[in-house]
Amino acid sequence: MVSTRLIEAPQERAFQAFANPDQLKHWWGPSGFVNTIEKFELYPGGEWRLIMHGPDGTDYHNENVFTEVTVPERVAFEHREPVHRFKMEMTFAPAGAHTQLTWRMVFESATEFARVKDFIIPANEQNFDRLAAHLAAL
C-alpha cells in the first residue's frame, strides 16, 4: 500500500518531525490518538517502542525495529506488534520548498492487507493531516 502527501515544510524539517520523538509523539497515528514513546533508537537495528492510546481508552503497544535510516531522506522499519506485521518505508523527497512524503507498507500477505486496508487507508491520511498541522504550528 502506498500513501503520499505534499508536506508544506522543507525536507529537513519534515524529517525531524519524525526523527525527534518529542515531536513525533504529538502527531503519530490516526485522529484522536495520543502516544507514549518508550524507546526510539533511530539507526539500523534500533528499537522503536510506543504505546498508542486510542480515543476509546484502548492502549495499543507497538514494537518496531529500524532497518534503514538515511538522514533526511528515508526511514524503513519492521512493525512487529501488536495485531499485524508489516514493513514500512518512509521517503522524504524535496519538492521545492516542500517535501513529498511517501509511505510504502508491505504486509505479510494479501489476506492480511485485505483485513486491515479499510482502517489503514484513512488512518494514514489522518496521520498526514496531523503531521501537517504539527508542522504548521511550529
Side-chain angles (χ1 to χ4, degrees):
M1 187 188 81
V2 177
S3 300
T4 190
R5 174 82 60 96
L6 185 66
I7 301 296
E8 294 186 12
Q11 179 189 38
E12 181 64 37
R13 193 164 149 219
F15 186 88
Q16 283 304 312
F18 178 81
N20 181 337
D22 290 331
Q23 289 190 53
L24 180 61
K25 69 182 179 184
H26 294 291
W27 65 267
W28 187 257
S31 297
F33 278 75
V34 178
N35 299 291
T36 301
I37 297 179
E38 298 178 317
K39 193 171 194 177
F40 191 81
E41 302 171 324
L42 189 60
Y43 54 81
E47 294 180 58
W48 175 24
R49 290 196 318 254
L50 72 151
I51 303 169
M52 297 175 69
H53 309 284
D56 65 356
T58 303
D59 288 341
Y60 300 91
H61 294 262
N62 288 257
E63 294 181 15
N64 305 282
V65 174
F66 292 107
T67 56
E68 184 179 337
V69 178
T70 305
V71 178
E73 302 159 358
R74 178 178 151 84
V75 173
F77 62 88
E78 292 180 7
H79 178 80
R80 297 183 173 175
E81 296 292 336
V83 179
H84 48 272
R85 297 173 65 96
F86 59 87
K87 293 180 180 179
M88 170 82 130
E89 172 190 301
M90 305 167 69
T91 56
F92 300 78
H98 303 318
T99 302
Q100 187 69 43
L101 178 57
T102 302
W103 289 359
R104 288 179 178 83
M105 301 172 77
V106 178
F107 292 84
E108 287 187 319
S109 68
T111 302
E112 177 62 13
F113 174 65
R115 186 179 72 79
V116 299
K117 75 176 183 177
D118 289 342
F119 168 77
I120 294 288
I121 292 170
N124 283 358
E125 292 302 318
Q126 293 168 22
N127 214 329
F128 287 157
D129 292 344
R130 293 182 70 192
L131 171 58
H134 169 77
L135 288 167
L138 290 178

